[in-house]
Amino acid sequence: METVNLPENGVLFCWKSPSNIALIKYWGKKGNQVPANASLSMTLSEAYTITQLRARNNKKGAGPEVTFRFEGALNNEFGVRIESFIKSVMPWFSFPKDVLLEIESGNNFPHSAGIASSASSMSALSLCLCSLENWFTGGSDETSDFFRKASFISRIGSGSACRSVYGKMAVWGGHQAVDGSHDEYAVPTSFDLHPVFDDLLDTVLIVDPGKKKVSSSIGHNLMKDHAFAEARYHQANANLTSLLLALKQGDWNAFALIVENEALSLHAMMMTSIPGYLLMHPNTLSIIERITEYRKQTGARVCYTLDAGPNIHLLYPKSAENEAGILIKELKNYCYKEYIIEDSMGKGPEKLKCR
Ligand code: PMV
């Protein structure tokens, strides 16, 4: 049995990490959590997970053992999944295997909001694990290597989580237009966003707060024999090249065209899988039609994207807040109990003082 030199009360780490919304979508894998195409996302600000990890000696000497509390209550179902994730990433850590990990986690957004909680929760947990590693090795939690490793570990838990490790926007997946981009971790966008995109707002219009009918893992799998898979990967990579240009040049119209094309292509892949399925609801379509119409009528800088679900993310720069506000008031009528969440582009994870 390895001897772990942890203090009696253990050591404690705490990270707050946000969710993200993909503008260029990852849909389909090449292998173990390796994306079939590169993706780009905007990190959110208001939708985040706070995770606290206490590591103690595991006197039983049985490798890492996990207890998991979610929003204050012991949750064995999540605990089993998290223990299996932690065991799967142990080969990348040098800290002793015989640790007892007491994890407490909570989201500041409701489960049912249709916001990817796996991205915020997996990235928060991975950051805690990387901090634990540094406690043993004496490394710093502020270097780019630290965040790269946290991104790499997050990816193993949930692909899209690897992009949440960075503020503003991040790219995951090797792409010729992004220096240093990689299939195994995300990288932050290395250029300054044009001011038009530097204060992007995202109002999430909740059409249905329920659990989606088909999980993302099933959806990724259905891409394996998909008739349009290769065309889709090609389209996503080309869209990423064009989006990067739009973000640098401040071209809102190009941005809107690409982002909406990505949203509809993602859902087109679901519809044309075998078996095909629909995650959009009639009200999702009504909202899309109304956004398009409103933009045509007023020239307002608003556009939409969708995650793998029926809810709409309405994107607009701060300068278009008033026009967007008028539209949102109307769109609330299509939402579940007029439920919306106001979010914006965020700065990325934050290390917190532990309680
Ligand atoms: O990371 P996963 O396995 O939950 O898949 C995410 C897929 C999308 O959210 C639809 C797109 C993306 O790039 O985040």
Side-chain angles (χ1 to χ4, degrees), residues 7-293:
E8 183 66 20
N9 285 335
V11 282
L12 201 56
F13 307 96
C14 190
W15 279 90
K16 167 178 161 184
S17 191
S19 187
N20 68 74
I21 176 71
L23 304 179
I24 302 292
K25 311 292 182 183
Y26 143 61
W27 199 243
K29 307 183 196 205
K30 280 193 287 203
N32 179 26
Q33 296 289 82
V34 175
N37 63 262
S39 58
L40 178 147
S41 61
M42 170 173 116
T43 298
L44 297 176
S45 158
E46 302 307 318
Y48 55 80
T49 298
I50 293 182
T51 297
Q52 178 170 297
L53 175 142
R54 186 187 292 276
R56 299 176 191 272
N57 292 316
N58 186 358
K59 299 207 174 79
K60 286 191 237 157
E65 216 180 310
V66 170
T67 61
F68 184 72
R69 297 182 84 82
F70 184 66
E71 289 173 357
L74 210 57
N75 188 318
N76 284 331
E77 192 194 327
F78 284 174
V80 167
R81 273 167 36 200
I82 284 166
E83 187 172 296
S84 130
F85 159 67
I86 292 176
K87 284 185 171 151
S88 76
V89 295
M90 285 309 277
W92 288 283
F93 288 112
S94 64
F95 60 74
K97 307 289 173 258
D98 294 329
V99 281
L100 183 60
L101 302 173
E102 295 166 359
I103 302 169
E104 286 190 46
S105 196
N107 300 336
N108 77 323
F109 55 98
H111 295 293
S112 50
I115 292 178
S117 58
S118 59
S120 53
S121 57
M122 275 300 163
S123 53
L125 175 59
S126 302
L127 286 155
C128 288
L129 291 170
C130 290
S131 288
L132 172 62
E133 170 84 350
N134 275 347
W135 189 86
F136 280 98
T137 60
S140 156
D141 286 1
E142 285 166 16
T143 62
S144 54
D145 282 355
F146 171 80
F147 287 100
R148 177 173 297 176
K149 177 147 182 180
S151 179
F152 177 97
I153 298 294
S154 305
R155 182 201 105 241
I156 295 166
S158 161
S160 55
C162 74
R163 299 180 310 233
S164 276
V165 164
Y166 299 106
K168 294 197 172 184
M169 293 189 183
V171 171
W172 170 38
H175 190 278
Q176 72 280 3
V178 184
D179 281 348
S181 58
H182 204 281
D183 281 350
E184 294 184 329
Y185 49 80
V187 292
T189 45
S190 59
F191 56 91
D192 287 336
L193 293 171
H194 186 280
V196 174
F197 300 109
D198 216 21
D199 54 8
L200 269 179
L201 299 177
D202 176 4
T203 299
V204 192
L205 304 154
I206 311 296
V207 171
D208 183 351
K211 202 169 171 251
K212 57 189 177 215
K213 289 174 289 188
V214 182
S215 73
S216 287
S217 345
I218 292 176
H220 286 296
N221 249 327
L222 288 171
M223 286 303 284
K224 286 199 179 117
D225 301 312
H226 201 295
F228 305 141
E230 285 313 312
R232 164 61 199 150
Y233 304 145
H234 182 77
Q235 176 196 41
N237 283 321
N239 274 347
L240 178 52
T241 307
S242 310
L243 187 70
L244 290 168
L245 204 66
L247 290 170
K248 285 177 197 165
Q249 295 179 341
D251 187 340
W252 177 268
N253 292 340
F255 174 86
L257 199 66
I258 299 159
V259 166
E260 293 183 356
N261 177 248
E262 280 291 307
L264 296 181
S265 291
L266 169 70
H267 284 259
M269 289 303 109
M270 297 171 190
M271 288 187 237
T272 50
S273 294
I274 296 181
Y277 60 103
L278 273 165
L279 295 184
M280 290 192 280
H281 288 196
N283 279 0
T284 311
L285 298 180
S286 300
I287 292 176
I288 289 177
E289 296 226 300
R290 190 58 198 123
I291 294 170
T292 314
E293 210 174 66

